Amino acid sequence: SQQGEEDPQALSIQEGENATMNCSYKTSINNLQWYRQNSGRGLVHLILIRSNEREKHSGRLRVTLDTSKKSSSLLITASRAADTASYFCATVMDSNYQLIWGAGTKLIIKP
Amino acid sequence: DTGVSQDPRHKITKRGQNVTFRCDPISEHNRLYWYRQTLGQGPEFLTYFQNEAQLEKSRLLSDRFSAERPKGSFSTLEIQRTEQGDSAMYLCASSLNRGLPYNEQFFGPGTRLTVL
């Protein structure tokens, strides 16, 4: 079974708006990563947040991590049409170095 | 392009046939991973290599599946006696690990397998 669950499963917003996606997981982790997947570029790593970090920024991306709630959120600000993609969270546990994936959030940015 | 490459990009085969996929990782990366992804789902881990050693295999990897990384560079994934349930996107990823679990993986474009 997959570790993470993204919420919502699908999200459609207007260009320029902010998009927020959430991820919940089941076991304690070493780090959590967000990836983007679209048909043009495949799976691309966006950002990694370690279990001792609470917030991280990268350009228009902001990721938060709440280990007490076993949840993370990904915020994309000022969305663009090119942000249309599926977004996945993946966790790495201390006991092994595998990435365990959620089912993803499908984001559509309407022009 | 120095990213991860996979070949072929698409494969259509008849049930019962054997297929083999190839993955060329980023050259200095010591870890190589295989995943399977079906529509609407995230990738599912199949197996990974540290250099030429296959360190872990998922229970998803039945005895019809075999993977090799003979010289610690490229890898092959073979599926014998394919079944329709094997239809999926097969993803390869590589990473450079120096003993730390900060495991950013770089993915190839995938091989889409369709079993008729």
Side-chain angles (χ1 to χ4, degrees):
Chain A
S1 63
Q2 294 186 312
Q3 157 88 303
E5 291 183 8
E6 284 91 341
D7 170 54
Q9 290 185 336
L11 179 62
S12 181
I13 61 173
Q14 292 294 139
E15 193 168 20
E17 293 181 339
N18 296 342
T20 299
M21 289 159 272
N22 303 296
C23 168
S24 59
Y25 56 92
K26 298 172 185 172
T27 63
S28 60
I29 61 171
N30 179 283
N31 67 76
L32 184 146
Q33 303 175 33
W34 285 91
Y35 285 77
R36 179 181 64 214
Q37 185 177 39
N38 59 33
S39 57
R41 292 196 60 199
L43 266 165
V44 175
H45 180 269
L46 295 176
I47 197 165
L48 179 154
I49 187 165
R50 300 171 190 174
S51 60
N52 61 352
E53 297 176 315
R54 292 295 167 259
E55 188 171 312
K56 207 159 182 182
H57 298 254
S58 176
R60 294 183 296 112
L61 305 180
R62 172 179 169 250
V63 168
T64 62
L65 179 65
D66 187 335
T67 53
S68 66
K69 295 181 179 177
K70 291 187 171 59
S71 68
S72 173
S73 68
L74 171 67
L75 168 68
I76 304 174
T77 59
S79 62
R80 305 168 183 169
D83 296 328
T84 293
S86 290
Y87 291 80
F88 294 91
C89 70
T91 54
V92 178
M93 294 185 285
D94 276 325
S95 57
N96 64 53
Y97 297 169
Q98 289 181 34
L99 281 174
I100 309 296
W101 299 76
T105 292
K106 188 170 184 178
L107 175 65
I108 296 173
I109 308 299
K110 295 179 286 187
Chain B
D1 188 342
T2 57
V4 179
S5 62
Q6 292 185 246
D7 182 68
R9 296 289 304 274
H10 303 272
K11 180 70 177 179
I12 299 174
T13 191
K14 292 182 180 178
R15 190 177 54 185
Q17 297 294 306
N18 299 344
V19 293
T20 300
F21 310 141
R22 177 180 170 124
C23 170
D24 287 88
I26 294 172
S27 59
E28 64 268 25
H29 284 184
N30 54 356
R31 283 199 175 180
L32 185 147
Y33 311 80
W34 285 100
Y35 295 88
R36 181 172 65 191
Q37 185 179 26
T38 53
L39 199 62
Q41 298 297 314
E44 293 177 299
F45 169 80
L46 293 178
T47 188
Y48 88 91
F49 294 82
Q50 172 97 2
N51 301 312
E52 67 275 6
Q54 188 174 17
L55 295 187
E56 190 159 353
K57 294 194 291 186
S58 163
R59 290 179 206 146
L60 293 174
L61 212 66
S62 76
D63 55 8
R64 296 185 298 106
F65 288 70
S66 62
E68 294 183 342
R69 194 183 183 197
K71 296 181 181 177
S73 57
F74 74 92
S75 175
T76 57
L77 177 68
E78 181 183 15
I79 308 174
Q80 296 182 325
R81 305 181 302 281
T82 52
E83 302 172 356
Q84 288 183 325
D86 297 332
S87 295
M89 177 76 85
Y90 289 83
L91 297 167
C92 175
S94 69
S95 68
L96 179 62
N97 285 75
R98 295 193 179 107
L100 297 175
Y102 305 145
N103 198 14
E104 177 182 352
Q105 297 182 14
F106 295 81
F107 282 81
T111 294
R112 182 169 295 284
L113 173 66
T114 302
V115 182
L116 301 175

